[in-house]
Amino acid sequence: MVYEGKTKIVEIKDGYAYLHFKDDITAGDGEKHDVMSGKGSMCAEITARLMRALKDRGIDNQFVEFTAPNVIKAIPLKMYPLEVVVRFKKAGSFIRRYGGVEGEEFAEPLVEFFVKDDERHDPMVCKKHLPILGIASLDDAEEMERQAKEIALALRDIFKEMGYDLWDMKFEFGKAEDGKILLGDEISPDTLRLRRSGEIFDKDVYRRNLGDPMAKYKEVLEQCRKHITL
Ligand code: TMP
Ligand code: ASP
């Protein structure tokens, strides 16, 4: 069985899911699209190392094994069609929606849910919408919210050790065969905002046409290699 998304192909084989990371980079729900050589392998390895680091801190997730250059072997999950965003600082769609100053810190991490639906531009929903839309029970939504906060705090520490400031990020969760909700998919400069003294190390470089995003992704990968053993 094979599913293809904008940046990954997921193959289910021998009881595992194999995430093949592609060289495609997109923004604006696929409106802007390019292929950048080496992008898939960098995002796969960054994801693998971060998932490993989370596991080392007792946070379970889908990751099983990294196979260079661009494949992650993972526990198969029934994915929720959701993007769970955690924000420490104001940026991106938060500012577009509510205003405010970029980089301003929230008193507490903010968790938001978005339904994955490119045609509707991934509408934001409340936890209470999820059972009504048949996407997740309220209990499952609360469990995702709890895990998202915990993972975000751990990632903020991990990146701090590398000298980066983690502003916000997006997670995707799924349910394993045993009923456990686990973090899945990807954690890479495609799915978070990473800053260091005003310098941008994430997909905003591409979204905002600020130069060569791959140079920034490469630096993040090198830092992950230095700080996290696979
Ligand atoms: P946003 O400010 O555009 O809502 O993005 C919040 C975070 O989620 C940011 O770190 C980028 C990430 N993100 C994705 O990974 N995929 C997406 O489709 C979007 C819109 C954001
Ligand atoms: N991931 C979304 C897209 O590919 C949007 C984004 O990350 O900005 O269009």
Side-chain angles (χ1 to χ4, degrees), residues 83 85 87 91-93 168-170 190-193 207:
E83 303 202 336
V85 169
R87 302 180 191 274
S93 75
D168 62 25
M169 69 224 83
K170 181 267 297 178
D190 262 19
T191 66
L192 38 81
R193 285 195 171 92
R207 293 188 189 98

Side-chain angles (χ1 to χ4, degrees), residues 6 26-29 83-87 90-97 112 114 116 118 121-122 166-172 185-186 188-194 202-204 207:
K6 293 198 291 282
T26 70
D29 302 320
E83 303 202 336
V84 184
V85 169
V86 186
R87 302 180 191 274
K90 290 182 188 173
S93 75
F94 181 91
I95 293 182
R96 278 204 302 280
R97 229 173 258 115
E112 296 173 338
F114 298 86
K116 273 172 79 97
D118 279 343
H121 298 288
D122 295 350
L166 175 61
W167 281 20
D168 62 25
M169 69 224 83
K170 181 267 297 178
F171 299 127
E172 297 189 23
D185 195 55
E186 171 172 9
S188 77
D190 262 19
T191 66
L192 38 81
R193 285 195 171 92
L194 263 194
D202 55 69
K203 198 161 90 174
D204 273 354
R207 293 188 189 98

Side-chain angles (χ1 to χ4, degrees), residues 4-230:
E4 181 156 5
K6 293 198 291 282
T7 59
K8 267 175 283 322
I9 295 171
V10 181
E11 179 194 10
I12 308 289
K13 196 174 69 183
D14 311 327
Y16 286 98
Y18 294 84
L19 280 50
H20 300 255
F21 286 65
K22 305 196 288 189
D23 282 343
D24 299 66
I25 185 164
T26 70
D29 302 320
E31 256 174 41
K32 188 169 149 106
H33 173 223
D34 287 279
V35 177
M36 297 189 180
S37 171
K39 194 247 180 193
S41 63
M42 288 197 279
C43 288
E45 186 174 342
I46 292 168
T47 298
R49 287 184 188 269
L50 292 171
M51 293 283 190
R52 175 82 261 157
L54 289 172
K55 282 195 157 187
D56 291 345
R57 288 169 183 243
I59 296 174
D60 203 8
N61 57 64
Q62 183 185 29
F63 178 71
V64 176
E65 198 174 80
F66 172 58
T67 309
N70 69 326
V71 181
I72 286 179
K73 179 180 177 180
I75 294 168
L77 301 177
K78 189 169 186 314
M79 298 303 291
Y80 296 94
L82 284 177
E83 303 202 336
V84 184
V85 169
V86 186
R87 302 180 191 274
F88 294 119
K89 295 191 172 177
K90 290 182 188 173
S93 75
F94 181 91
I95 293 182
R96 278 204 302 280
R97 229 173 258 115
Y98 308 110
V101 177
E102 207 183 55
E104 212 178 328
E105 190 154 1
F106 295 106
E108 284 194 31
L110 172 68
V111 181
E112 296 173 338
F113 291 95
F114 298 86
V115 177
K116 273 172 79 97
D117 182 344
D118 279 343
E119 268 176 36
R120 294 193 166 81
H121 298 288
D122 295 350
M124 183 157 72
V125 289
C126 316
K127 270 185 291 189
K128 285 183 186 173
H129 284 111
L130 298 178
I132 291 168
L133 296 171
I135 290 175
S137 69
L138 194 56
D139 280 353
D140 286 1
E142 277 165 359
E143 171 63 10
M144 283 186 256
E145 189 175 59
R146 186 195 66 73
Q147 285 195 33
K149 274 189 211 167
E150 186 186 22
I151 298 162
L153 290 167
L155 284 175
R156 186 167 66 171
D157 285 349
I158 290 163
F159 280 117
K160 197 171 171 198
E161 285 167 15
M162 300 180 201
Y164 297 116
D165 187 15
L166 175 61
W167 281 20
D168 62 25
M169 69 224 83
K170 181 267 297 178
F171 299 127
E172 297 189 23
F173 291 94
K175 205 170 240 193
E177 215 176 28
D178 64 4
K180 245 208 304 219
I181 293 177
L182 288 179
L183 171 69
D185 195 55
E186 171 172 9
I187 317 171
S188 77
D190 262 19
T191 66
L192 38 81
R193 285 195 171 92
L194 263 194
R195 304 296 152 94
R196 195 180 59 212
S197 0
E199 199 177 342
I200 303 177
F201 289 90
D202 55 69
K203 198 161 90 174
D204 273 354
V205 174
Y206 176 72
R207 293 188 189 98
R208 292 155 62 176
N209 298 310
L210 300 174
D212 173 20
M214 293 305 101
K216 304 301 182 76
Y217 284 40
K218 189 155 181 279
E219 198 201 298
V220 174
L221 172 59
E222 280 161 8
Q223 287 297 328
C224 287
R225 282 181 176 161
K226 237 186 254 174
H227 287 84
I228 307 163
T229 313
L230 258 182

